[in-house]
Amino acid sequence: MSPRREPNAADGVHSDVGEEPTAELLARIRRGDPDAFEEVARREAPRLYRLALRLTGNPADAEDLAQETLVRALPKLQGLEGRAKVSTYLVRALGNLWKNRLRSRSRSKIVDWFRGRKGDDEEEGPTLETAFADPGPSVQEALEEGDRAEAVRRAVARLEPTRRWTLLLREVEELSYEEIAEMTEVPVGTVRSRLARARDDLRRLIEIENV
Amino acid sequence: MSDRQDIENRIQDYLDGRMDTGERAAFEQQLEGDAGLRARVRELQAAGDALRSDAALPAGFHARARERFEQSRSPRRKVAARGFPTWQFAGVAASLLLVGVLFYPQLTNILEGNAPVPTASEASAFSGESAAADRSESFADSDTTPSDDAELRAGEQAPGRALEKRETSSKPSPPVAPEPADEPAPTAAAPRKRTQAAMAEQEAFGAKELTAQQAGADEKKQDAAKIAEPRQAPVTDGNAAAASGAAASESDEVTETSDELVESLNRDRFRNLRTPGMASSAQPVVTRSDKEAEAREKAARMNDLGYIQGVVEEIMGRTPLPAGVAVAGEVRLIQDEETWKALAWDDWSVDFSTHSVVLLGPRTPPLDCDGVVERLEGDRLTLVLLSPGDALHGCAIEVDRRVQHVEVLEP
């Protein structure tokens, strides 16, 4: 058993590293060149989509989020040097877009929950699933299918948003505590506590459905 | 720090590579001798691996992304986004609609053949004017005859008819003011001029012609009233009645809003906690019902996860509150945004102009966020917690701004 590995191609992390988007390429994107856009999008989309999928737990939402990130963020890219900064910029943009969506969505969703949803859930009273419902089968259903990895991913999609984002920045993007702290604009200690709670919640989320 | 917390911290440091060589070696040695710890670490590593596994892009992803990019850069879309053509068209359409509404009575009369036919003397009196202008003058004249004055005053209360008057006077009608007894009540300078001229003309006309003219005008006014009727505002008496009703309802506002708030607090969310058959609107105090045990069990399950059960307007999500920030009886009411942001994730948008946030803290004593509204008395809200358990991180509850004091009782 070993602790966390450094990112490498074998993990499927950063395996899509290619040439840096040149200033000329970025300028073409800003001018509206679809070929330039697609060239950069093809490099960045896989990791953005994966992150979006873990965040949303839903392929359709993930595609929409990843595409919106690319469409909105790439034309604003200028003066960035190095792929690391480009990817960080896109991850940050994706996170902001997601949080904006979540903010409006969760408000309406939770209010709907309180104000009366039709169906069996209402009669049963609110449950974890109804309160934080995401499309698709529940964790329990996923476990019944014997797909633990899928259960983990669905459990993650039910984590409290702040912790979910922090956990994914660490586990998927493999950012350091310091990088996460910079991106989320919180102290490193907060990153640490959020990660601890996220992992604890994740374990409980899976266990409780497994009983 | 408890042993459990210490071990969790070490697991995390190990997983995240934040141990130095010596610490890592010591921890790995501990792992070898502790199957439970080893399973725990493996479980978390497996979870991480599951999250890092590749996710294949959906077929057609790039084509759709390119299409969205092209659409976003389309000049036509930019123009549409500014909305100028749309608004221009809407303005023209609105103008046409307004003109149509204003002229509808006249158009109706013309189409139905009810327009008064000017007599030869009228024609001579208004020589040089078109037939349409002639009809307008005739309409204006008849509107301002003394016999119609009272009706016009009443008509001033009706927006539809006021609009009609504006059309003839080409400027807004002023409020009706007391008029000299011997003079008609023109509503504007232009009609006044025309009225005086018309009166002179009418005096010159024979009584028969005058009667016929007024009859035609009365018919038009009736038609106009029919047109305007749906848009009529309540007449003064009606307004008074409405105002009276509003005042009456206002006098009950405190009682009603209190009832409404309590009702909203408990609607749906705590349905299964109510006494069966309890009239929801008549009884603002929620009592715990026979189903409480079931709710407790469910809540305990929920709270074991640390998820929040909101009680008022909205739950904020499980918030990473500082441990021990609040205990039963010492809840914290946050009423400003900055404090809230300092304590919790600011992405939960709370409108602090209308709402406050009640923070219910974690542990010490075990305190969870599942509760019922015991009562609301004035600005004091009392919650009774259910199923105190191992709440992890506390929670926040959004409450109406009228709530100024919150008391939390343990069951």
Side-chain angles (χ1 to χ4, degrees), chain A residues 8 34-35 37 40 42 47 64 79 85 87 93 99-100 116 118 126 135 137 140 146 160 196 199-200 206:
Chain A
N8 57 58
D35 292 331
F37 169 81
V40 178
R42 282 187 178 277
R47 62 181 300 162
D64 186 50
K85 287 187 178 179
S87 63
K99 284 185 279 188
N100 286 339
K118 303 299 179 188
Q140 177 64 46
E160 188 272 329
R199 285 171 170 146
D200 196 30
I206 295 170

PDB file of all heavy atoms in Angstrom, chain A residues 8 34-35 37 40 42 47 64 79 85 87 93 99-100 116 118 126 135 137 140 146 160 196 199-200 206:
ATOM      1  N   ASN A   8       0.290  10.824 -13.127  1.00  0.00           N
ATOM      2  CA  ASN A   8       1.014  10.302 -14.267  1.00  0.00           C
ATOM      3  C   ASN A   8       0.023   9.811 -15.308  1.00  0.00           C
ATOM      4  O   ASN A   8      -1.180   9.714 -15.061  1.00  0.00           O
ATOM      5  CB  ASN A   8       1.965   9.176 -13.855  1.00  0.00           C
ATOM      6  CG  ASN A   8       1.217   8.066 -13.150  1.00  0.00           C
ATOM      7  OD1 ASN A   8       0.283   7.477 -13.700  1.00  0.00           O
ATOM      8  ND2 ASN A   8       1.615   7.787 -11.917  1.00  0.00           N
ATOM      9  N   PRO A  34     -13.501  28.879 -35.216  1.00  0.00           N
ATOM     10  CA  PRO A  34     -13.967  27.607 -34.639  1.00  0.00           C
ATOM     11  C   PRO A  34     -12.922  26.503 -34.696  1.00  0.00           C
ATOM     12  O   PRO A  34     -12.919  25.611 -33.839  1.00  0.00           O
ATOM     13  CB  PRO A  34     -15.195  27.269 -35.482  1.00  0.00           C
ATOM     14  CG  PRO A  34     -15.038  28.019 -36.738  1.00  0.00           C
ATOM     15  CD  PRO A  34     -14.258  29.242 -36.417  1.00  0.00           C
ATOM     16  N   ASP A  35     -12.049  26.551 -35.694  1.00  0.00           N
ATOM     17  CA  ASP A  35     -11.010  25.523 -35.773  1.00  0.00           C
ATOM     18  C   ASP A  35     -10.038  25.652 -34.597  1.00  0.00           C
ATOM     19  O   ASP A  35      -9.619  24.646 -34.011  1.00  0.00           O
ATOM     20  CB  ASP A  35     -10.244  25.652 -37.089  1.00  0.00           C
ATOM     21  CG  ASP A  35     -11.120  25.289 -38.283  1.00  0.00           C
ATOM     22  OD1 ASP A  35     -12.041  24.466 -38.105  1.00  0.00           O
ATOM     23  OD2 ASP A  35     -10.906  25.845 -39.370  1.00  0.00           O
ATOM     24  N   PHE A  37     -10.738  26.993 -31.761  1.00  0.00           N
ATOM     25  CA  PHE A  37     -11.490  26.598 -30.566  1.00  0.00           C
ATOM     26  C   PHE A  37     -11.492  25.081 -30.425  1.00  0.00           C
ATOM     27  O   PHE A  37     -11.220  24.543 -29.348  1.00  0.00           O
ATOM     28  CB  PHE A  37     -12.924  27.122 -30.659  1.00  0.00           C
ATOM     29  CG  PHE A  37     -13.837  26.556 -29.606  1.00  0.00           C
ATOM     30  CD1 PHE A  37     -13.863  27.075 -28.322  1.00  0.00           C
ATOM     31  CD2 PHE A  37     -14.663  25.470 -29.890  1.00  0.00           C
ATOM     32  CE1 PHE A  37     -14.693  26.540 -27.347  1.00  0.00           C
ATOM     33  CE2 PHE A  37     -15.489  24.932 -28.932  1.00  0.00           C
ATOM     34  CZ  PHE A  37     -15.510  25.470 -27.652  1.00  0.00           C
ATOM     35  N   VAL A  40      -8.123  23.514 -29.213  1.00  0.00           N
ATOM     36  CA  VAL A  40      -7.871  23.612 -27.768  1.00  0.00           C
ATOM     37  C   VAL A  40      -8.901  22.790 -26.986  1.00  0.00           C
ATOM     38  O   VAL A  40      -8.570  22.125 -26.001  1.00  0.00           O
ATOM     39  CB  VAL A  40      -7.903  25.083 -27.315  1.00  0.00           C
ATOM     40  CG1 VAL A  40      -7.700  25.192 -25.803  1.00  0.00           C
ATOM     41  CG2 VAL A  40      -6.820  25.881 -28.040  1.00  0.00           C
ATOM     42  N   ARG A  42     -10.355  20.092 -27.802  1.00  0.00           N
ATOM     43  CA  ARG A  42     -10.065  18.657 -27.847  1.00  0.00           C
ATOM     44  C   ARG A  42      -9.022  18.271 -26.799  1.00  0.00           C
ATOM     45  O   ARG A  42      -8.984  17.147 -26.323  1.00  0.00           O
ATOM     46  CB  ARG A  42      -9.587  18.258 -29.247  1.00  0.00           C
ATOM     47  CG  ARG A  42     -10.733  18.137 -30.238  1.00  0.00           C
ATOM     48  CD  ARG A  42     -10.286  17.582 -31.571  1.00  0.00           C
ATOM     49  NE  ARG A  42     -11.416  17.425 -32.479  1.00  0.00           N
ATOM     50  CZ  ARG A  42     -12.242  16.381 -32.484  1.00  0.00           C
ATOM     51  NH1 ARG A  42     -12.044  15.390 -31.623  1.00  0.00           N
ATOM     52  NH2 ARG A  42     -13.267  16.320 -33.319  1.00  0.00           N
ATOM     53  N   ARG A  47     -10.604  16.187 -19.514  1.00  0.00           N
ATOM     54  CA  ARG A  47     -10.473  16.372 -18.070  1.00  0.00           C
ATOM     55  C   ARG A  47     -11.590  17.257 -17.529  1.00  0.00           C
ATOM     56  O   ARG A  47     -12.047  17.047 -16.409  1.00  0.00           O
ATOM     57  CB  ARG A  47      -9.114  16.952 -17.709  1.00  0.00           C
ATOM     58  CG  ARG A  47      -8.847  18.309 -18.295  1.00  0.00           C
ATOM     59  CD  ARG A  47      -7.485  18.809 -17.935  1.00  0.00           C
ATOM     60  NE  ARG A  47      -7.330  18.932 -16.492  1.00  0.00           N
ATOM     61  CZ  ARG A  47      -6.156  19.016 -15.889  1.00  0.00           C
ATOM     62  NH1 ARG A  47      -5.054  18.944 -16.599  1.00  0.00           N
ATOM     63  NH2 ARG A  47      -6.083  19.148 -14.598  1.00  0.00           N
ATOM     64  N   ASP A  64     -22.987  19.562 -20.717  1.00  0.00           N
ATOM     65  CA  ASP A  64     -23.412  20.954 -20.829  1.00  0.00           C
ATOM     66  C   ASP A  64     -22.462  21.872 -20.061  1.00  0.00           C
ATOM     67  O   ASP A  64     -22.070  22.930 -20.561  1.00  0.00           O
ATOM     68  CB  ASP A  64     -24.841  21.079 -20.294  1.00  0.00           C
ATOM     69  CG  ASP A  64     -25.398  22.466 -20.510  1.00  0.00           C
ATOM     70  OD1 ASP A  64     -25.304  22.967 -21.646  1.00  0.00           O
ATOM     71  OD2 ASP A  64     -25.929  23.047 -19.548  1.00  0.00           O
ATOM     72  N   GLY A  79      -2.928  36.015 -22.525  1.00  0.00           N
ATOM     73  CA  GLY A  79      -1.782  36.327 -21.696  1.00  0.00           C
ATOM     74  C   GLY A  79      -1.405  35.260 -20.693  1.00  0.00           C
ATOM     75  O   GLY A  79      -0.611  35.492 -19.802  1.00  0.00           O
ATOM     76  N   LYS A  85      -1.414  26.780 -16.241  1.00  0.00           N
ATOM     77  CA  LYS A  85      -2.249  27.921 -15.930  1.00  0.00           C
ATOM     78  C   LYS A  85      -3.551  27.880 -16.725  1.00  0.00           C
ATOM     79  O   LYS A  85      -4.592  28.276 -16.221  1.00  0.00           O
ATOM     80  CB  LYS A  85      -1.494  29.215 -16.210  1.00  0.00           C
ATOM     81  CG  LYS A  85      -0.421  29.491 -15.191  1.00  0.00           C
ATOM     82  CD  LYS A  85       0.191  30.847 -15.404  1.00  0.00           C
ATOM     83  CE  LYS A  85       1.232  31.123 -14.335  1.00  0.00           C
ATOM     84  NZ  LYS A  85       1.865  32.445 -14.538  1.00  0.00           N
ATOM     85  N   SER A  87      -5.094  25.170 -17.755  1.00  0.00           N
ATOM     86  CA  SER A  87      -5.976  24.161 -17.163  1.00  0.00           C
ATOM     87  C   SER A  87      -6.539  24.637 -15.832  1.00  0.00           C
ATOM     88  O   SER A  87      -7.708  24.416 -15.532  1.00  0.00           O
ATOM     89  CB  SER A  87      -5.212  22.848 -16.983  1.00  0.00           C
ATOM     90  OG  SER A  87      -4.139  23.023 -16.092  1.00  0.00           O
ATOM     91  N   ALA A  93     -12.921  28.165 -13.861  1.00  0.00           N
ATOM     92  CA  ALA A  93     -14.122  28.629 -14.573  1.00  0.00           C
ATOM     93  C   ALA A  93     -15.249  27.611 -14.467  1.00  0.00           C
ATOM     94  O   ALA A  93     -16.416  27.967 -14.246  1.00  0.00           O
ATOM     95  CB  ALA A  93     -13.788  28.890 -16.039  1.00  0.00           C
ATOM     96  N   LYS A  99     -21.047  26.341  -9.596  1.00  0.00           N
ATOM     97  CA  LYS A  99     -21.591  26.901  -8.371  1.00  0.00           C
ATOM     98  C   LYS A  99     -22.725  27.884  -8.669  1.00  0.00           C
ATOM     99  O   LYS A  99     -23.704  27.956  -7.938  1.00  0.00           O
ATOM    100  CB  LYS A  99     -20.491  27.585  -7.554  1.00  0.00           C
ATOM    101  CG  LYS A  99     -19.603  26.563  -6.834  1.00  0.00           C
ATOM    102  CD  LYS A  99     -18.603  27.216  -5.929  1.00  0.00           C
ATOM    103  CE  LYS A  99     -17.399  27.699  -6.703  1.00  0.00           C
ATOM    104  NZ  LYS A  99     -16.319  28.182  -5.823  1.00  0.00           N
ATOM    105  N   ASN A 100     -22.574  28.619  -9.754  1.00  0.00           N
ATOM    106  CA  ASN A 100     -23.672  29.517 -10.125  1.00  0.00           C
ATOM    107  C   ASN A 100     -24.937  28.743 -10.438  1.00  0.00           C
ATOM    108  O   ASN A 100     -26.036  29.131 -10.055  1.00  0.00           O
ATOM    109  CB  ASN A 100     -23.281  30.359 -11.344  1.00  0.00           C
ATOM    110  CG  ASN A 100     -22.287  31.433 -10.980  1.00  0.00           C
ATOM    111  OD1 ASN A 100     -22.164  31.812  -9.825  1.00  0.00           O
ATOM    112  ND2 ASN A 100     -21.558  31.914 -11.972  1.00  0.00           N
ATOM    113  N   GLY A 116     -43.943  21.296  -1.118  1.00  0.00           N
ATOM    114  CA  GLY A 116     -44.839  20.250  -1.543  1.00  0.00           C
ATOM    115  C   GLY A 116     -44.500  19.668  -2.880  1.00  0.00           C
ATOM    116  O   GLY A 116     -44.750  20.283  -3.899  1.00  0.00           O
ATOM    117  N   LYS A 118     -45.110  16.500  -5.384  1.00  0.00           N
ATOM    118  CA  LYS A 118     -46.113  15.470  -5.592  1.00  0.00           C
ATOM    119  C   LYS A 118     -45.434  14.117  -5.667  1.00  0.00           C
ATOM    120  O   LYS A 118     -44.321  13.992  -6.152  1.00  0.00           O
ATOM    121  CB  LYS A 118     -46.870  15.733  -6.893  1.00  0.00           C
ATOM    122  CG  LYS A 118     -47.522  17.101  -6.921  1.00  0.00           C
ATOM    123  CD  LYS A 118     -48.531  17.256  -5.801  1.00  0.00           C
ATOM    124  CE  LYS A 118     -49.155  18.627  -5.814  1.00  0.00           C
ATOM    125  NZ  LYS A 118     -49.999  18.868  -4.644  1.00  0.00           N
ATOM    126  N   PRO A 126     -39.259  13.851   3.830  1.00  0.00           N
ATOM    127  CA  PRO A 126     -38.003  14.033   3.117  1.00  0.00           C
ATOM    128  C   PRO A 126     -36.948  13.020   3.529  1.00  0.00           C
ATOM    129  O   PRO A 126     -36.860  12.625   4.691  1.00  0.00           O
ATOM    130  CB  PRO A 126     -37.587  15.453   3.524  1.00  0.00           C
ATOM    131  CG  PRO A 126     -38.270  15.681   4.821  1.00  0.00           C
ATOM    132  CD  PRO A 126     -39.548  14.914   4.759  1.00  0.00           C
ATOM    133  N   PRO A 135     -30.460  13.150 -10.672  1.00  0.00           N
ATOM    134  CA  PRO A 135     -31.037  12.193 -11.604  1.00  0.00           C
ATOM    135  C   PRO A 135     -30.288  10.870 -11.561  1.00  0.00           C
ATOM    136  O   PRO A 135     -29.128  10.795 -11.175  1.00  0.00           O
ATOM    137  CB  PRO A 135     -30.843  12.864 -12.962  1.00  0.00           C
ATOM    138  CG  PRO A 135     -30.626  14.295 -12.663  1.00  0.00           C
ATOM    139  CD  PRO A 135     -29.964  14.333 -11.329  1.00  0.00           C
ATOM    140  N   PRO A 137     -30.102   6.473 -10.838  1.00  0.00           N
ATOM    141  CA  PRO A 137     -30.363   5.541  -9.744  1.00  0.00           C
ATOM    142  C   PRO A 137     -29.677   5.975  -8.461  1.00  0.00           C
ATOM    143  O   PRO A 137     -28.711   6.710  -8.461  1.00  0.00           O
ATOM    144  CB  PRO A 137     -29.771   4.223 -10.261  1.00  0.00           C
ATOM    145  CG  PRO A 137     -28.776   4.632 -11.280  1.00  0.00           C
ATOM    146  CD  PRO A 137     -29.310   5.881 -11.895  1.00  0.00           C
ATOM    147  N   GLN A 140     -28.001   3.105  -3.377  1.00  0.00           N
ATOM    148  CA  GLN A 140     -28.399   1.742  -3.061  1.00  0.00           C
ATOM    149  C   GLN A 140     -28.555   0.920  -4.342  1.00  0.00           C
ATOM    150  O   GLN A 140     -28.089  -0.215  -4.428  1.00  0.00           O
ATOM    151  CB  GLN A 140     -29.705   1.765  -2.283  1.00  0.00           C
ATOM    152  CG  GLN A 140     -30.273   0.395  -1.950  1.00  0.00           C
ATOM    153  CD  GLN A 140     -29.364  -0.384  -1.021  1.00  0.00           C
ATOM    154  OE1 GLN A 140     -28.884   0.153  -0.029  1.00  0.00           O
ATOM    155  NE2 GLN A 140     -29.097  -1.637  -1.357  1.00  0.00           N
ATOM    156  N   GLY A 146     -23.824  -3.999  -8.065  1.00  0.00           N
ATOM    157  CA  GLY A 146     -22.476  -4.466  -7.844  1.00  0.00           C
ATOM    158  C   GLY A 146     -21.402  -3.539  -8.370  1.00  0.00           C
ATOM    159  O   GLY A 146     -20.239  -3.917  -8.500  1.00  0.00           O
ATOM    160  N   GLU A 160     -22.127  17.463   0.207  1.00  0.00           N
ATOM    161  CA  GLU A 160     -22.373  18.891   0.328  1.00  0.00           C
ATOM    162  C   GLU A 160     -21.458  19.612  -0.671  1.00  0.00           C
ATOM    163  O   GLU A 160     -20.291  19.243  -0.832  1.00  0.00           O
ATOM    164  CB  GLU A 160     -22.076  19.330   1.767  1.00  0.00           C
ATOM    165  CG  GLU A 160     -22.476  20.750   2.090  1.00  0.00           C
ATOM    166  CD  GLU A 160     -21.365  21.706   1.754  1.00  0.00           C
ATOM    167  OE1 GLU A 160     -20.189  21.315   1.844  1.00  0.00           O
ATOM    168  OE2 GLU A 160     -21.679  22.846   1.394  1.00  0.00           O
ATOM    169  N   ALA A 196     -11.362  16.322   5.091  1.00  0.00           N
ATOM    170  CA  ALA A 196     -11.616  15.294   6.102  1.00  0.00           C
ATOM    171  C   ALA A 196     -13.100  15.010   6.220  1.00  0.00           C
ATOM    172  O   ALA A 196     -13.529  13.851   6.265  1.00  0.00           O
ATOM    173  CB  ALA A 196     -11.042  15.752   7.449  1.00  0.00           C
ATOM    174  N   ARG A 199     -14.482  13.162   3.102  1.00  0.00           N
ATOM    175  CA  ARG A 199     -14.170  11.727   3.081  1.00  0.00           C
ATOM    176  C   ARG A 199     -15.006  10.978   4.112  1.00  0.00           C
ATOM    177  O   ARG A 199     -15.457   9.855   3.861  1.00  0.00           O
ATOM    178  CB  ARG A 199     -12.675  11.522   3.333  1.00  0.00           C
ATOM    179  CG  ARG A 199     -11.833  11.875   2.112  1.00  0.00           C
ATOM    180  CD  ARG A 199     -10.371  11.892   2.422  1.00  0.00           C
ATOM    181  NE  ARG A 199      -9.570  12.004   1.190  1.00  0.00           N
ATOM    182  CZ  ARG A 199      -8.431  12.658   1.117  1.00  0.00           C
ATOM    183  NH1 ARG A 199      -7.926  13.261   2.183  1.00  0.00           N
ATOM    184  NH2 ARG A 199      -7.762  12.700  -0.020  1.00  0.00           N
ATOM    185  N   ASP A 200     -15.174  11.615   5.242  1.00  0.00           N
ATOM    186  CA  ASP A 200     -15.995  10.977   6.267  1.00  0.00           C
ATOM    187  C   ASP A 200     -17.435  10.842   5.785  1.00  0.00           C
ATOM    188  O   ASP A 200     -18.064   9.789   5.933  1.00  0.00           O
ATOM    189  CB  ASP A 200     -15.935  11.832   7.543  1.00  0.00           C
ATOM    190  CG  ASP A 200     -16.429  11.060   8.755  1.00  0.00           C
ATOM    191  OD1 ASP A 200     -16.264   9.825   8.773  1.00  0.00           O
ATOM    192  OD2 ASP A 200     -16.985  11.694   9.665  1.00  0.00           O
ATOM    193  N   ILE A 206     -21.927   5.873   1.726  1.00  0.00           N
ATOM    194  CA  ILE A 206     -21.904   4.547   1.110  1.00  0.00           C
ATOM    195  C   ILE A 206     -22.331   3.494   2.126  1.00  0.00           C
ATOM    196  O   ILE A 206     -23.153   2.627   1.827  1.00  0.00           O
ATOM    197  CB  ILE A 206     -20.498   4.238   0.563  1.00  0.00           C
ATOM    198  CG1 ILE A 206     -20.169   5.213  -0.565  1.00  0.00           C
ATOM    199  CG2 ILE A 206     -20.415   2.808   0.066  1.00  0.00           C
ATOM    200  CD1 ILE A 206     -18.731   5.168  -1.022  1.00  0.00           C
TER     201      ILE A 206
END
